[in-house]
Coordinates of all heavy atoms in Angstrom, one line a residue:
A309 N 2.1 9.7 -9.1 CA 1.0 9.9 -10.1 C 0.1 11.0 -9.7 O -0.7 11.5 -10.5 CB 0.2 8.6 -10.2
G310 N 0.3 11.6 -8.5 CA -0.4 12.7 -8.0 C -2.0 12.3 -7.8 O -2.8 13.3 -7.8
N311 N -2.3 11.1 -7.6 CA -3.7 10.8 -7.5 C -4.1 10.2 -6.1 O -4.9 9.4 -5.9 CB -4.2 9.8 -8.6 CG -3.5 8.5 -8.4 OD1 -2.5 8.4 -7.7 ND2 -4.0 7.4 -9.0
V312 N -3.3 10.7 -5.1 CA -3.6 10.2 -3.7 C -4.8 11.0 -3.2 O -4.8 12.2 -3.1 CB -2.4 10.4 -2.7 CG1 -2.7 10.1 -1.3 CG2 -1.3 9.5 -3.3
V313 N -5.8 10.3 -2.7 CA -7.1 11.0 -2.3 C -7.2 10.9 -0.7 O -7.0 9.8 -0.2 CB -8.4 10.5 -2.9 CG1 -9.6 11.1 -2.4 CG2 -8.2 10.7 -4.4
L314 N -7.3 12.0 0.0 CA -7.5 12.1 1.4 C -8.9 12.4 1.8 O -9.6 13.0 1.0 CB -6.5 13.1 2.0 CG -5.1 13.0 1.4 CD1 -4.3 14.2 2.1 CD2 -4.4 11.7 1.8
V315 N -9.2 12.3 3.1 CA -10.5 12.7 3.6 C -10.7 14.2 3.3 O -11.9 14.6 2.9 CB -10.6 12.3 5.1 CG1 -11.9 12.9 5.6 CG2 -10.7 10.8 5.3
K316 N -9.7 14.9 3.5 CA -9.8 16.4 3.4 C -10.2 16.8 1.9 O -10.9 17.8 1.7 CB -8.6 17.1 3.8 CG -7.5 17.3 3.0 CD -6.5 18.3 3.6 CE -5.1 18.3 2.9 NZ -5.1 18.4 1.5
D317 N -9.8 16.0 0.9 CA -10.2 16.2 -0.5 C -11.7 16.0 -0.7 O -12.3 16.8 -1.5 CB -9.4 15.3 -1.4 CG -7.9 15.5 -1.4 OD1 -7.5 16.7 -1.2 OD2 -7.2 14.5 -1.4
L318 N -12.3 15.1 0.1 CA -13.7 14.9 0.0 C -14.4 16.0 0.5 O -15.4 16.6 0.1 CB -14.1 13.7 0.8 CG -14.2 12.3 0.1 CD1 -12.9 11.8 -0.1 CD2 -15.1 11.4 0.9
V319 N -14.0 16.4 1.8 CA -14.6 17.6 2.4 C -14.5 18.9 1.6 O -15.5 19.6 1.5 CB -13.9 17.9 3.8 CG1 -14.6 19.1 4.4 CG2 -14.1 16.6 4.7
E320 N -13.4 19.1 0.9 CA -13.2 20.3 0.0 C -14.3 20.2 -1.1 O -14.6 21.3 -1.6 CB -11.8 20.3 -0.4 CG -10.9 21.1 0.5 CD -9.5 20.9 0.2 OE1 -9.1 20.6 -1.0 OE2 -8.6 21.2 1.1
R321 N -14.6 19.0 -1.5 CA -15.7 19.0 -2.6 C -17.1 19.0 -2.1 O -18.0 18.8 -2.8 CB -15.5 17.6 -3.4 CG -14.3 17.7 -4.3 CD -14.5 16.5 -5.2 NE -13.4 16.5 -6.2 CZ -13.6 16.1 -7.5 NH1 -14.8 15.8 -7.9 NH2 -12.6 16.2 -8.3
G322 N -17.3 19.3 -0.8 CA -18.6 19.4 -0.2 C -19.2 18.1 0.1 O -20.4 17.9 0.3
L323 N -18.4 17.0 0.1 CA -18.9 15.7 0.4 C -18.9 15.4 1.9 O -17.9 15.7 2.6 CB -18.2 14.6 -0.4 CG -18.2 14.6 -1.9 CD1 -17.3 13.6 -2.5 CD2 -19.7 14.3 -2.3
D324 N -19.8 14.7 2.4 CA -19.7 14.2 3.7 C -18.8 13.1 3.9 O -18.7 12.2 3.0 CB -21.2 13.6 4.1 CG -21.3 13.2 5.6 OD1 -20.4 12.7 6.2 OD2 -22.4 13.5 6.1

Side-chain angles (χ1 to χ4, degrees):
N311 66 340
V312 174
V313 177
L314 311 177
V315 172
K316 88 171 164 44
D317 298 322
L318 268 80
V319 175
E320 275 167 18
R321 283 196 176 219
L323 296 171
D324 186 321

